[in-house]
Amino acid sequence: MEFENRYRQVSKYDCLLFDLDDTLYPLSSGLATACANNIRDYMAEKLGIDQRKILELSNLLYKNYGTTMAGLRAIGYNFDYDDYHSFVHGRLPYENLKPDPVLRSLLLSLPIRKVIFTNADKVHAAKVLRILGLEDCFEGIICFETLNPTYKSAASDGEDDIQFTGPRSSSNMTKCKTEIFDIVHHISQPNDLGSVLPKSPIVCKPSEHAIEKALKISNINPQKTLFFEDSIRNIHAGKRVGLNTVQVGTCQRTKGADYALESIHNIREALPELWTTSTIASESGSYGKVAVETSVTA
């Protein structure tokens, strides 16, 4: 008993931060391709953008703002966030996803906090986790609504009242074409040093601010966290804020990634230390709480 009071078991990592799409399930599912097509359809049908310009525009927005949605808002398009997510994700081929009992067993066997961090909305995240059979494997979900709580005043900078999983967006914005910033022209004029890209009101990866905000909301120490991502630019951003990084979807470790997994199923082979702990002396003689308690409502 004296040993138990004086020592506690600790791991090198105290949190595993997982991206969702194309990380917890393979790119071959086809959801990413379908999502890109749905975004372009939304741009044409809902925002009235010329079909001939959509491909180049969406690629530029994704490259410069992290998501096409964030880019559309930045250059002047106004639309309802829920409507956008419903259109873009509501038509996805979710039937291509199947329950993953192997991954579920792996996740449940890990004695470490596990948190989802996705740019997607809460409805999509919950649906994907439910289909995969992983809905009870994570402590919390950092999603679009978490980082973009539209119920808060735009003039407010306070974040202390933001809930971990965040409420569902209730934006009252409606589609409204104002003056649109011509990003295609802007990018084609590299010598125009006096002009800068407009900022987006949407917070999302790979913005370092988005990652830092997610870490603060969920009380995560980046130095003791492994960040699992399929996107190399998100990996780079995570590395810049101090996260330990795991690139998923390739066996070739690229610059910025500490580890590489061809599949999330390879996690035990690549990182066996996650299942082991080391014993250290505890001055207080108390185990205490390793993580804050949070609820998952998604």
Side-chain angles (χ1 to χ4, degrees), residues 133-206:
L134 309 177
E135 64 268 41
D136 59 344
C137 294
F138 300 93
E139 176 186 303
I141 300 173
I142 298 290
C143 57
F144 175 85
E145 290 88 346
T146 319
L147 298 181
N148 300 275
T150 54
Y151 64 93
K152 288 175 66 68
S153 168
S156 172
D157 292 325
E159 296 175 1
D160 293 340
D161 57 338
I162 299 176
Q163 295 298 311
F164 187 10
T165 51
R168 185 177 179 184
S169 168
S170 58
S171 171
N172 291 321
M173 291 185 299
T174 57
K175 183 181 76 173
C176 177
K177 263 195 173 183
T178 54
E179 184 176 351
I180 304 301
F181 179 83
D182 190 347
I183 189 173
V184 175
H185 175 76
H186 173 86
I187 297 297
S188 69
Q189 305 294 319
N191 296 323
D192 188 4
L193 300 179
S195 179
V196 296
L197 288 174
K199 293 183 178 181
S200 176
I202 291 177
V203 179
C204 62
K205 295 182 286 184

Side-chain angles (χ1 to χ4, degrees), residues 97-115:
L97 300 179
K98 305 298 179 186
D100 192 338
V102 173
L103 180 55
R104 175 180 172 80
S105 178
L106 284 169
L107 292 172
L108 291 178
S109 70
L110 281 163
I112 308 173
R113 289 182 71 194
K114 294 172 285 292
V115 176

Side-chain angles (χ1 to χ4, degrees), residues 22 25-37 92-94 96-97:
D22 304 324
Y25 62 84
L27 178 64
S28 59
S29 68
L31 264 68
T33 299
C35 187
N37 291 335
L92 292 179
Y94 288 108
N96 293 352
L97 300 179

Side-chain angles (χ1 to χ4, degrees), residues 198-240:
K199 293 183 178 181
S200 176
I202 291 177
V203 179
C204 62
K205 295 182 286 184
S207 160
E208 291 177 35
H209 169 61
I211 298 176
E212 290 170 343
K213 187 174 182 179
L215 297 178
K216 179 180 178 182
I217 291 170
S218 49
N219 192 26
I220 290 174
N221 176 359
Q223 281 75 37
K224 296 204 68 178
T225 298
L226 267 179
F227 181 36
F228 294 79
E229 258 281 0
D230 67 291
S231 166
I232 189 58
R233 63 178 183 170
N234 292 347
I235 287 284
H236 288 161
K239 197 66 179 173
R240 288 195 296 271

Side-chain angles (χ1 to χ4, degrees), residues 36-46 51 87 91:
N37 291 335
N38 292 345
I39 289 172
R40 291 166 190 154
D41 287 344
Y42 185 90
M43 293 168 70
E45 297 177 26
K46 298 283 189 170
Q51 286 272 14
F87 188 102
R91 307 177 179 194

